[in-house]
Amino acid sequence: MAQADIIIPDHRTCGVLIAHNRLLEADAGARVRRALLKADIGLRVMAADDFAAAAPVTIGVVVHVVYNDAPGNISDAQIASQIDALNRDYSHANPDAAQAPGVWRGLQLDCKIRFKLATRDPNGAPTNGITRTQTQTPVFSTDDSVKSAASGGADPWDSTRYLNLWVCDLGGGLLGYAQFPGMPAATDGVVILNQAFGTMGTAAAPYNMGRTAVHEVGHWFDLHHIWGDTTDCSGSDLVSDTPNQQHPNYGTPAFPHVSCNNGPNGDMFMNYMDYVNDAAMVMFTAGQSARMQATLQGPRASVIAAAATVAP
């Protein structure tokens, strides 16, 4: 299957829970580790005086381009556009932030997280932070095969030091998937469909503003889908300032969209952790930022500590 045969999904779908549940079944201790980690992050959020006052932290990034045909071998410029998009949205520098309804604009803030392509590889040698691997595999799935050279993908760089992003042809109607903290180091990172990566090149509307990676990296920081991944209003994203909502939202909804008795303002569908089109998602909340900062103090602390040497 050539890249031209990959159909751009008509709505956003993220494979994080498919991958996560598979890992839980494969590792008997994973549920306990995740429970302890969630409790630790929750305590860090409650104990923090003011995450918003913290100095920005840097995450060293490596992008593994895994391609079957020439169009999938995306350009350095397209990769740079994705790093720019991550920095734009995580620093609350996105010009479209004003699209958020006035009732929630006061929750928006700089998350104090910055992203930089690695300048040193795991052996300390100079790098542009990009690896390129041609594969015989036409399309990958959520089975993590793209994360291993033995299965047609590319091996990760040390996931305790780098945020690994894999860009590939991804099937199943998925735009991407991520791995929550506390799961196996050998598969830790984020996978993105190359047609939903960055803001140019192969990136295709309505996923051409770099926000699939913004969403998936949110999961890497232990953010959950804003509706809590249930359909009966019982779910929670573990963040106090996001309204409870019943389902994911798709496309470009009109405000307000009420569910789970959350009127009059309804769902915060313009949040990066919902499923709307790129142009409709414009914000993280202060609570989500605090959860990400708590994760960076806890299970992701080593990545921050390594940034000074891998992405100075």
Side-chain angles (χ1 to χ4, degrees), residues 140-159:
F140 291 93
S141 71
T142 57
D143 65 0
D144 286 337
S145 57
V146 73
K147 302 176 182 178
S148 170
S151 52
D155 292 335
W157 289 4
D158 183 354
S159 60

Side-chain angles (χ1 to χ4, degrees), residues 204-292:
Y207 313 115
N208 58 347
M209 295 179 67
R211 283 170 170 162
T212 295
V214 173
H215 175 104
E216 298 300 343
V217 171
H219 289 312
W220 189 80
F221 289 130
D222 211 56
L223 292 187
H224 296 257
H225 289 138
I226 195 168
W227 67 95
D229 291 301
T230 67
T231 59
D232 61 359
C233 299
S234 66
S236 171
D237 64 352
L238 306 177
V239 176
S240 61
D241 60 2
T242 55
N244 191 31
Q245 72 181 56
Q246 186 172 10
H247 296 119
N249 289 281
Y250 300 105
T252 54
F255 174 81
H257 179 256
V258 175
S259 69
C260 296
N261 298 311
N262 62 9
N265 300 316
D267 299 351
M268 191 186 282
F269 59 78
M270 69 296 306
N271 193 281
Y272 294 124
M273 301 313 293
D274 208 332
Y275 271 2
V276 294
N277 291 348
D278 277 22
M281 53 171 57
V282 301
M283 66 177 288
F284 287 120
T285 69
Q288 288 173 317
S289 177
R291 184 168 184 83
M292 290 190 281

Side-chain angles (χ1 to χ4, degrees), residues 29 31 36 40 78 81 89 144 209 257 305:
R31 284 183 172 83
L36 293 172
D40 176 71
Q78 184 172 345
S81 78
D89 290 346
D144 286 337
M209 295 179 67
H257 179 256

Side-chain angles (χ1 to χ4, degrees), residues 3 6-9 12 71-75 77-83 85 88 167-169 175 192-213 278:
Q3 188 188 45
I6 301 294
I7 298 173
I8 303 297
R12 186 180 304 279
N73 189 18
I74 63 173
S75 68
Q78 184 172 345
I79 293 167
S81 78
Q82 180 60 76
I83 301 301
R88 173 199 69 205
V167 186
C168 64
D169 285 323
L175 297 181
I192 305 290
L193 173 69
N194 62 52
Q195 289 161 310
F197 192 82
T199 62
M200 58 174 292
T202 64
Y207 313 115
N208 58 347
M209 295 179 67
R211 283 170 170 162
T212 295
D278 277 22

Side-chain angles (χ1 to χ4, degrees), residues 9 31-32 90 113 123 133 171 183 186 202 213 267 285-287:
R31 284 183 172 83
V32 173
Y90 277 83
I113 302 171
N123 296 316
T133 302
M183 303 306 284
T202 64
D267 299 351
T285 69

